Amino acid sequence: MLLDSKLPDVGTSIFTVMTQLATECGAINLAQGFPDFDPPATLTEALARHAGTSGQHQYAPMAGLPRLRELISQKTAAQYGVPAPDPATEITVTSGATEALYAVLAATVRPGDEVLILEPAYDLYGPVVRLQGGRPVYVPLLLPDFRPDWDQVAAALTPRTRLIMLNSPHNPSGALLTANDFDTLAGLLVNTDTLVLSDEVYEHMVFDGQPHRSVLQHPALAARAFVLSSFGKTYHATGWKVGYCIAPPALTAELRRVHQFLTFSVNTPAQQALADVLATADLYHALPAFYQAKRDLFVGLLAGIGFELLPTAGAYFLLARYVALAPHESDVAFAQRLTREAGVAVVPVSAFYHDGRDEGLIRFCFAKRDETLQEAAARLQQFQKSQLRS
Ligand SMILES: Cc1ncc(COP(=O)(O)O)c(C=O)c1O
């Protein structure tokens, strides 16, 4: 039986495709954004403890364990210097930020609504808007800094704009939004009903002494925003799929209407373990220095290999222009060849554009052990030599 696809143009995500190719070729996988090291031992030990305890194996409360939500509230207030969000009415634990993204879009977007997406963008945003009958309206970020062009955003806003999606630190570029950006956006949204979805899953990965600016710190935007975070990113535990959404009570109520039918609740032992770690240690304070050291190591290792590296201020990605190595090759072809011939898998940045716009950029993920980054760089060096010979 043939099914008329709701997303006929959507295939398997590029991250999965490149990861499969990496496995087939025995390549080092710098494509998909996950660490090749374990979460902190305190966290895995806490999980083992809770998973091995009687009474921890049934549904958690729909909105998340109260203890975990209370700790998220305290952490948020301490980190951003904002009033503590109410755990009862403003915080919802979700199955990763992915579920929160889906639930927010399902709760807010109606057929015919427009959603502004700044591109390049995480590949989920556009298709999930379309599944709700919404129309993604894409506004390109300005290269090479991946800054929003607020004039273009202003021009794209219409009375149908239900939502604007923000992502800072930004995947794939690592660019950060600033307090000025938030002021500008807030000015544009005055007297509109447009909501904000702020994807801040990389909130703890910011470099060179810069702070992460959260939409929560901007009262006018926070009043109309869903702000997302991911414990998967913060604790090197992407496979646990635990994230959360902070939003004012009226927005949270709508989010929960969907969440209760989408996953209902998030696995109990993982929530307990995360609560234990949040209660006892501020492990995430070490993250900026930890990932900055990896960025600097990898940037140093790649020097002289023929890539033009773009600066990265946050998240755990590094963009590279490869024109000197392959002047006429598309980014998809180059990424695939790099995987096969160099044994290093990367993501072509065109995958982050709805129309496959090719800027001649690939994305490396540097959330890897130092040995992995060293081995990847050695392979890339060999590849460069082979290019020069051929
Ligand atoms: C920008 C962005 N948003 C959301 C997610 C999904 O987060 P989670 O793994 O918590 O579902 C990712 C994961 O790569 C991401 O890069």
Side-chain angles (χ1 to χ4, degrees):
M1 193 172 117
L2 282 181
L3 177 63
D4 188 13
S5 174
K6 291 176 90 173
L7 294 173
D9 54 330
V10 172
T12 310
S13 97
I14 189 71
F15 309 104
T16 308
V17 169
M18 294 311 295
T19 293
Q20 275 165 2
L21 189 62
T23 311
E24 273 164 45
C25 302
I28 296 175
N29 187 1
L30 301 190
Q32 207 168 355
F34 60 79
D36 69 345
F37 42 87
D38 280 334
T42 41
L43 184 61
T44 50
E45 283 161 16
L47 179 67
R49 217 169 37 245
H50 289 290
T53 303
S54 157
Q56 301 279 343
H57 304 283
Q58 310 310 328
Y59 296 126
M62 185 269 277
L65 288 182
R67 183 168 79 104
L68 180 58
R69 280 185 283 142
E70 176 57 42
L71 287 159
I72 292 170
S73 170
Q74 290 170 18
K75 166 184 182 282
T76 305
Q79 186 184 345
Y80 294 124
V82 295
D86 181 350
T89 59
E90 297 186 307
I91 298 176
T92 309
V93 179
T94 57
S95 180
T98 302
E99 192 233 335
L101 281 161
Y102 196 102
V104 170
L105 292 169
T108 57
V109 177
R110 291 155 204 267
D113 280 353
E114 294 169 4
V115 176
L116 293 197
I117 299 177
L118 307 177
E119 273 196 320
Y122 190 53
D123 64 346
L124 170 158
Y125 297 173
V128 176
V129 168
R130 287 167 45 209
L131 279 175
Q132 317 313 317
R135 190 167 81 82
V137 175
Y138 296 100
V139 179
L141 292 163
L142 299 177
L143 271 61
D145 302 329
F146 294 87
R147 300 269 320 129
D149 178 341
W150 292 116
D151 290 337
Q152 275 204 54
V153 172
L157 278 169
T158 76
R160 303 226 62 142
T161 311
R162 169 68 60 193
L163 194 82
I164 176 164
M165 317 232 353
L166 303 179
N167 173 213
S168 177
H170 179 240
N171 178 8
S173 73
L176 308 177
L177 293 173
T178 63
N180 276 344
D181 288 322
F182 292 158
D183 285 342
T184 308
L185 177 61
L188 295 179
L189 298 187
V190 171
N191 296 329
T192 74
D193 293 328
T194 302
L195 302 166
V196 174
L197 198 174
S198 186
D199 180 340
E200 302 184 13
V201 297
Y202 299 103
E203 62 178 328
H204 295 297
M205 294 147 202
V206 277
F207 312 134
D208 308 313
Q210 294 188 68
H212 165 65
R213 304 289 312 182
S214 173
V215 159
L216 294 168
Q217 293 167 300
H218 195 289
L221 288 182
R224 56 172 84 219
F226 297 89
V227 178
L228 312 188
S229 187
S230 168
F231 285 119
K233 307 291 180 191
T234 301
Y235 287 117
H236 319 315
T238 58
W240 290 27
K241 296 301 294 184
V242 187
Y244 57 90
C245 176
I246 301 180
L251 301 188
T252 293
E254 292 309 312
L255 166 81
R256 289 182 184 173
R257 284 184 208 259
V258 176
H259 167 72
Q260 70 181 336
F261 295 140
L262 193 52
T263 57
F264 181 68
S265 66
V266 174
N267 93 70
T268 308
Q271 290 195 66
Q272 293 284 18
L274 286 161
D276 284 359
V277 167
L278 270 183
T280 53
D282 294 344
L283 296 177
Y284 50 86
H285 287 317
L287 277 193
F290 176 78
Y291 276 116
Q292 184 174 327
K294 292 205 176 289
R295 177 198 67 176
D296 293 346
L297 171 73
F298 196 46
V299 166
L301 289 166
L302 292 186
I305 297 188
F307 291 110
E308 183 199 332
L309 303 178
L310 273 52
T312 183
Y316 43 48
F317 305 111
L318 181 64
L319 296 187
R321 232 177 254 297
Y322 57 84
V323 63
L325 289 167
H328 307 297
E329 207 164 356
S330 73
D331 66 351
V332 172
F334 183 71
Q336 290 180 350
R337 195 157 67 85
L338 211 59
T339 309
R340 291 203 179 90
E341 294 179 17
V344 178
V346 295
V347 176
V349 171
S350 60
F352 295 81
Y353 287 97
H354 73 288
D355 55 359
R357 180 196 288 221
D358 185 350
E359 298 281 356
L361 291 168
I362 52 170
R363 188 197 77 173
F364 294 103
C365 170
F366 58 79
K368 307 291 166 185
R369 286 173 289 140
D370 291 358
E371 308 84 87
T372 309
L373 297 175
Q374 278 152 353
E375 173 60 22
R379 290 184 183 196
L380 292 168
Q381 203 146 30
Q382 279 305 112
F383 173 79
Q384 184 214 17
K385 284 190 190 139
S386 69
Q387 296 301 288
L388 294 176
R389 279 197 300 270
S390 62

